[in-house]
Amino acid sequence: MKEDLKIKAMGILAELRDGLAGVSIKDVLPRERLVLQLELISDAQEELEALFDDGVFADLVVGVFYFKEVYAQLKGLQLYCRGHFVVSSELPAGTKERRKYLLAELAGVDRFLLRYQFHYGYYCLGAVELDDLLFSSGLDEFSVLCPLLPMDVPEGVPQTAYLFALFLAKERLRADLLGMIAALDSPPVLSASASVTEKGDLHRPFQWTSEVVHLIELAHALHLKGVVNDGDTGIVEFFEGLGDFFGVNLGVPKRGFEDLKARKRLSKTYFTDSLREALLEKMQESDAWIGGFKR
């Protein structure tokens, strides 16, 4: 497979994710936000379809890459945006009712991931050994490796590719649901992940509330500098530990690094650059005050 084809495709997807992140913080109605998101996804789809014409799929490697990496991510983002819109639109008014609704939705996501635990494990590990079978449109639907989905999959799309798209959507939605539930905890509700200090104060775990890609960028920087455990911790173990600490799934380190490299619209080190700028701005503000009076 031509490397430039992969780079261009991942670049389009990286720009799409950045664009969707920008739309997600706009102060607009949920339906208007969904329209903007779907427009971005449609534009990206057109660009990707222009790259992957019918001729390139004669190469099995290209086909596997397209369905596992490109189609799954593109479709997954579309499914996530629609799913988030549905949850936001159906939220009940009362706090008690809202909590009950969110917990039910969260339980539904967990049941789905458990139902496909073999394929979900393959997805989380970033495994490649069965790719030629799982992401081939010729996979026998009666094979034990072929997932049975409760919906119609578009013709020509491998079942596993659509399932991976659902995994991406469900994971992102699960993170949103957990955030919404946490926001209702006022006063906070003691959960299995919370603890009580010796003084009797409630200690709750930290929750990453920015884009997951920002934590991925920071994680790579910290690991490359070797500032944790003298750099002796493997990158997969480090990602899992940092993700557990902040309550998010950082995914496969190699895939996240490729996404960062593929950025075009934003700096490849956008988040770490913004951290530096925030520190410098604070220092400048501090220097501007002398003895309680501004210069």
Side-chain angles (χ1 to χ4, degrees):
M1 179 177 60
K2 294 181 179 179
E3 191 65 23
D4 59 340
L5 181 65
K6 178 179 180 180
I7 293 173
K8 289 179 181 178
M10 300 309 291
I12 292 171
L13 289 170
E15 289 185 5
L16 172 61
R17 284 190 293 272
D18 290 337
L20 292 174
V23 171
S24 67
I25 60 176
K26 285 183 178 291
D27 186 18
V28 295
L29 294 173
R31 184 171 294 278
E32 183 179 351
R33 180 179 293 110
L34 178 63
V35 170
L36 294 173
Q37 290 170 331
L38 295 182
E39 286 177 351
L40 287 175
I41 294 171
S42 178
D43 291 342
Q45 182 176 354
E46 289 183 5
E47 291 186 65
L48 290 167
E49 287 177 350
L51 278 179
F52 293 88
D53 53 41
D54 293 338
V56 301
F57 288 100
D59 186 334
L60 178 61
V61 176
V62 174
V64 168
F65 169 74
Y66 174 78
F67 285 117
K68 183 180 182 181
E69 304 293 343
V70 179
Y71 176 85
Q73 290 193 48
L74 187 68
K75 188 66 178 178
L77 289 170
Q78 183 190 66
L79 292 170
Y80 161 71
C81 290
R82 292 185 181 277
H84 182 85
F85 168 74
V86 170
V87 169
S88 301
S89 302
E90 294 182 351
L91 274 177
T95 301
K96 184 177 181 180
E97 292 77 11
R98 181 168 293 192
R99 165 174 283 280
K100 182 178 179 181
Y101 171 80
L102 292 173
L103 288 173
E105 290 293 312
L106 182 62
V109 171
D110 288 340
R111 283 196 302 272
F112 180 88
L113 297 178
L114 182 62
R115 184 181 305 138
Y116 299 100
Q117 55 184 313
F118 168 76
H119 294 88
Y120 186 57
Y122 192 88
Y123 169 87
C124 291
L125 290 172
V128 298
E129 291 80 2
L130 299 176
D131 281 1
D132 290 353
L133 287 173
L134 294 176
F135 296 96
S136 169
S137 56
L139 178 63
D140 185 353
E141 63 177 323
F142 297 108
S143 168
V144 294
L145 295 176
C146 185
L148 299 177
L149 302 181
M151 71 281 291
D152 292 330
V153 175
E155 185 178 355
V157 175
Q159 297 275 329
T160 315
Y162 199 91
L163 182 59
F164 269 41
L166 286 167
F167 287 155
L168 185 150
K170 298 289 186 182
E171 279 192 339
R172 290 176 66 106
L173 187 59
R174 188 178 192 278
D176 291 346
L177 292 168
L178 288 171
M180 293 178 188
I181 293 170
L184 294 175
D185 293 343
S186 182
V189 174
L190 184 62
S191 63
S193 58
S195 60
V196 178
T197 67
E198 294 180 356
K199 296 181 179 180
D201 298 323
L202 180 64
H203 172 72
R204 303 182 65 208
F206 293 101
Q207 180 68 46
W208 185 262
T209 54
S210 182
E211 291 291 316
V212 175
V213 67
H214 294 164
L215 185 56
I216 291 173
E217 180 183 331
L218 181 62
H220 275 292
L222 293 173
H223 188 266
L224 288 169
K225 289 293 290 184
V227 295
V228 177
N229 294 342
D230 294 323
D232 293 333
T233 304
I235 190 168
V236 173
E237 181 183 354
F238 180 67
F239 264 56
E240 290 177 351
L242 191 63
D244 289 343
F245 181 80
F246 283 113
V248 296
N249 181 1
L250 296 181
V252 182
K254 183 176 183 296
R255 184 181 302 167
F257 191 74
E258 290 177 349
D259 289 344
L260 297 176
K261 288 198 306 178
R263 281 175 172 166
K264 291 183 178 179
R265 189 175 63 85
L266 296 177
S267 165
K268 298 182 189 300
T269 54
Y270 169 77
F271 183 62
T272 44
D273 289 344
S274 69
L275 295 179
R276 178 178 179 275
E277 291 171 2
L279 280 171
L280 291 175
E281 183 178 350
K282 182 63 177 178
M283 292 174 184
Q284 291 170 357
E285 289 179 0
S286 179
D287 290 342
W289 290 83
I290 299 179
F293 295 93
K294 193 172 183 179
R295 287 180 181 174

